[in-house]
Amino acid sequence: MTEQIDEESTTDTQPLLQISNLKVHFDTMDGPVEALHDVSLRVDEGQIMGIVGESGCGKSVTSLTSIGLATCEVDEGSITFRGEEMVFKEDERNKRIEAISTRVSIASVFLSLISMVWILIEPVQGATFLLLSLILLSGGVGASYKAKMPARIHERFLRTIRGNEISMIFQEPMTALNPLYTVEKQISEVMMEHDRLEIPELDAMARTIRALSKPLAIIVELFSSRPKQSLATSLMIVLVLAQGTDGPLKDWDEWVLFGGLDAINVSWLLFPLVPILATSGIDEKRLLHALSLSPSSFSLALVLYMSLWVPFSVFLSILGVFAMFALPSIMVSDYLKLDPVHRRQVIEILKQVQIPNPDAVVSMYPHELSGGMRQRIMIAMMMSCEPTLLIADEPTTALDVTIQAQILSLMRDLRKDRGTSIMLITHDLGVIAEMCDAVTVMYAGSVVERGDLAQVLSSPRMPYTIGLLHSIPTIEHHGSGTTRESLPIIPGQVPDPNQHFDGCRFHPRCPFAIDECVSTPPGMVEVGPGHYAACHRTDLTTEQGAVRDAFDEFSLEYVGVGGDALAR
């Protein structure tokens, strides 16, 4: 068997991202769940590293832990970016101080509550204990704040790296964007966080005036783009406003507009809307029939219909509260996007990711965009700060083949034009073959094979990798007809993270497993220059055809025992 060596000792160049022996767990109600057992990989400058494996193998957890966004606890290992440590290792002394200070703070709060009651009985003693409890509380809070200071400093360091030097395209583009903000707002926020926005063209007064006049600009835009619909909506609002805030009018035959105009019969007011509403698909005869009814009947029906939403007085109250509290906060939050130079910056970024009609898209919300457009927006957001490393977690999820090709082409152009390194996480081996320079194969929270693209795809040595490549349908031609083979599979499933293994975690699904595989964890062995595999039986995986036949036979045997792991 090939001698086991340390793969990191054979590389002389400094990697851009280095993950070494990473082990993490999640705290749950049922106890800790170990998600990553032993993950080691590296991404070099200008390299596209593909990470592949079945669902539940720990690919996304690895990427999120790399940028400090995972909610797990790091037990062992190291993550360095350009030689700087990304994993915060809290000092045990600070942990003890924080635990003690938390208990002291809780006890002082209870003591202060008791002291407040005691003051009513014994004012002097109660005041003394209240003062003591406040002193203890301030001491506990101060000690806790000081103990957490190293963690806060490290988090500030991560924020300078995350989104700036390292960016991530998150999985599920349909839900990754914030539905409450426009494209411009979401991209500009990233640039503002890392001081990538240009100096504003407008001064504070001009920007404030633009913010205050924004609602009027929206109304003008609506009337210019949709005049019929806007006019109809406005007249309906006028009719509702006419009833006032004190409830329905006493006389249903007349509506008084704004209390100062002459009485206007509702049928005469609605008559000009007939041709407008008729062009919108409403039956004109039915509309005229409705107008021929008495004004009181039509008015009552309209008011009842509107009251199904909310009482009008309540509606005005909501508008008042909204105007007093919500509008100022919205104007402040939109203060940034109203500067023309920032808007032009975002539009230019959208052009770089080949967004059609970027001048209009910049003002759109995520629900107005297709899946491919949202994915491009995600890429634009991540590339807005020109990162050195881009982590793409299944960037072609839920996209059709044409859009997938465009997204992958865009990522290749980013690497070509800017030298961006990419960590590409995917299930699609075709994407791996097309995009990547090197491949890392993960299984059940561990790296099981790593090497150059040609090495891993052309001559894999880990049985799991061979099984993945074998699980592809093939078409054979026999004479003039065409036959399709049954889809090969890897028998079984990825094991539960809580399941304990003394040896190789793949051994229940492997046709070559022996006692050593059950009892001893395999190390990474070099099976070729720069090609590593974690397996005790690499001597049996040189012939791909024989391995595929072994998987086929093992699959039949596996199914024959009811799908349970074979006893070994």
Side-chain angles (χ1 to χ4, degrees):
M1 184 175 295
T2 308
E3 182 181 1
Q4 179 177 331
I5 62 174
D6 182 6
E7 58 173 313
E8 296 179 11
S9 64
T10 63
T11 56
D12 299 326
T13 59
Q14 178 71 27
L16 180 66
L17 178 70
Q18 177 74 61
I19 301 177
S20 303
N21 307 114
L22 186 64
K23 180 179 179 181
V24 307
H25 77 272
F26 288 91
D27 291 321
T28 68
M29 298 295 292
D30 298 326
V33 175
E34 191 171 300
L36 301 181
H37 306 284
D38 184 14
V39 174
S40 297
L41 60 90
R42 56 181 282 157
V43 181
D44 296 326
E45 294 274 359
Q47 183 185 56
I48 301 182
M49 167 63 73
I51 301 180
V52 66
E54 295 173 277
S55 296
C57 288
K59 305 183 296 300
S60 296
V61 174
T62 300
S63 63
L64 291 172
T65 306
S66 300
I67 56 177
L69 290 182
T71 57
C72 58
E73 297 290 335
V74 178
D75 300 318
E76 299 176 9
S78 171
I79 302 174
T80 59
F81 178 74
R82 286 182 169 170
E84 295 187 83
E85 183 61 51
M86 302 285 286
V87 176
F88 176 70
K89 299 177 180 178
E90 190 173 6
D91 184 70
E92 291 296 329
R93 179 174 176 273
N94 285 337
K95 282 185 178 181
R96 291 193 296 270
I97 291 175
E98 184 177 350
I100 294 173
S101 61
T102 300
R103 295 189 182 96
V104 170
S105 300
I106 294 174
S108 61
V109 169
F110 280 107
L111 181 60
S112 63
L113 295 175
I114 296 174
S115 301
M116 292 178 184
V117 178
W118 200 344
I119 289 177
L120 301 176
I121 304 173
E122 294 289 342
V124 177
Q125 295 180 0
T128 303
F129 277 98
L130 179 60
L131 178 62
L132 177 61
S133 63
L134 293 177
I135 294 174
L136 288 176
L137 179 61
S138 60
V141 172
S144 178
Y145 181 84
K146 185 176 180 180
K148 291 180 179 179
M149 182 60 71
R152 283 191 289 269
I153 294 174
H154 184 77
E155 179 60 28
R156 286 198 292 268
F157 161 72
L158 287 181
R159 291 178 68 89
T160 63
I161 299 294
R162 188 169 53 227
N164 189 25
E165 295 288 336
I166 304 177
S167 290
M168 183 171 181
I169 302 174
F170 294 96
Q171 198 172 356
E172 298 286 350
M174 298 297 181
T175 58
L177 295 173
N178 191 324
L180 301 179
Y181 294 116
T182 62
V183 170
E184 178 186 6
K185 178 68 173 177
Q186 300 193 52
I187 295 179
S188 60
E189 276 188 345
V190 176
M191 301 177 70
M192 180 182 64
E193 177 69 23
H194 299 288
D195 296 325
R196 298 299 182 114
L197 290 173
E198 298 179 7
I199 299 175
E201 290 182 351
L202 303 178
D203 57 19
M205 180 61 67
R207 295 169 71 187
T208 303
I209 294 174
R210 285 173 62 93
L212 293 173
S213 62
K214 186 66 176 179
L216 181 60
I218 294 175
I219 294 174
V220 173
E221 182 181 354
L222 287 175
F223 270 90
S224 61
S225 60
R226 302 173 182 177
K228 294 182 179 180
Q229 297 88 332
S230 301
L231 179 60
T233 303
S234 300
L235 290 177
M236 294 293 286
I237 292 175
V238 169
L239 292 176
V240 176
L241 289 173
Q243 75 162 336
T245 60
D246 297 329
L249 295 176
K250 297 180 180 179
D251 299 323
W252 290 100
D253 294 331
E254 295 178 341
W255 289 65
V256 179
L257 301 180
F258 302 113
L261 299 179
D262 294 333
I264 300 177
N265 190 285
V266 68
S267 61
W268 285 99
L269 187 61
L270 286 178
F271 190 79
L273 294 180
V274 173
I276 298 175
L277 298 178
T279 57
S280 302
I282 298 177
D283 189 356
E284 187 174 352
K285 292 182 179 180
R286 292 186 178 180
L287 184 59
L288 290 173
H289 178 68
L291 292 177
S292 66
L293 298 176
S294 64
S296 60
S297 301
F298 190 84
S299 304
L300 180 60
L302 179 61
V303 173
L304 290 177
Y305 176 72
M306 297 299 296
S307 66
L308 289 176
W309 288 332
V310 67
F312 192 65
S313 57
V314 177
F315 178 71
L316 284 184
S317 300
I318 293 174
L319 285 181
V321 173
F322 180 80
M324 288 187 296
F325 298 103
L327 280 179
S329 62
I330 290 176
M331 287 190 291
V332 170
S333 65
D334 289 347
Y335 191 71
L336 170 67
K337 75 176 185 181
L338 294 176
D339 194 274
V341 68
H342 299 157
R343 188 181 186 89
R344 289 198 297 270
Q345 272 188 276
V346 176
I347 291 175
E348 184 60 32
I349 293 172
L350 295 181
K351 290 179 180 178
Q352 294 175 5
V353 295
Q354 303 172 17
I355 291 285
N357 195 15
D359 294 329
V361 172
V362 73
S363 301
M364 292 183 178
Y365 289 86
H367 71 273
E368 301 178 86
L369 305 173
S370 65
M373 294 278 280
R374 296 186 199 186
Q375 193 65 292
R376 289 174 186 268
I377 296 300
M378 286 293 300
I379 295 177
M381 188 185 305
M382 296 304 103
M383 296 307 299
S384 60
C385 295
E386 300 183 0
T388 308
L389 174 63
L390 177 65
I391 301 175
D393 191 354
E394 300 189 29
T396 56
T397 298
L399 303 179
D400 61 61
V401 177
T402 303
I403 302 300
Q404 286 186 25
Q406 294 175 0
I407 296 298
L408 296 178
S409 176
L410 176 61
M411 294 176 65
R412 279 196 301 267
D413 292 341
L414 293 175
R415 195 270 289 267
K416 179 181 177 181
D417 298 337
R418 303 185 182 181
T420 304
S421 301
I422 300 175
M423 180 192 291
L424 178 60
I425 300 172
T426 182
H427 294 281
D428 194 334
L429 292 174
V431 171
I432 292 289
E434 181 182 354
M435 291 286 296
C436 299
D437 305 313
V439 184
T440 296
V441 183
M442 292 188 65
Y443 179 76
S446 301
V447 173
V448 295
E449 188 160 0
R450 180 183 183 274
D452 293 340
L453 178 68
Q455 294 172 328
V456 176
L457 296 190
S458 300
S459 57
R461 301 295 297 277
M462 169 66 186
Y464 176 66
T465 309
I466 299 173
L468 286 179
L469 295 171
H470 185 42
S471 301
I472 299 175
T474 58
I475 298 177
E476 292 185 354
H477 297 275
H478 296 283
S480 59
T482 300
T483 61
R484 182 183 295 272
E485 294 181 350
S486 60
L487 180 65
I489 63 171
I490 301 176
Q493 298 178 350
V494 178
D496 187 282
N498 279 328
Q499 187 173 353
H500 175 73
F501 287 88
D502 292 325
C504 176
R505 301 182 69 84
F506 185 63
H507 83 262
R509 307 172 67 187
C510 180
F512 303 115
I514 57 177
D515 291 340
E516 184 181 9
C517 301
V518 178
S519 60
T520 306
M524 293 292 280
V525 294
E526 188 173 30
V527 295
H531 185 191
Y532 299 88
C535 182
H536 294 299
R537 309 300 304 278
T538 54
D539 55 325
L540 300 178
T541 58
T542 54
E543 294 293 334
Q544 303 302 306
V547 177
R548 288 194 293 267
D549 293 340
F551 262 111
D552 290 337
E553 295 177 3
F554 183 67
S555 297
L556 295 174
E557 183 181 0
Y558 196 100
V559 173
V561 297
D564 297 326
L566 299 179
R568 300 186 182 277

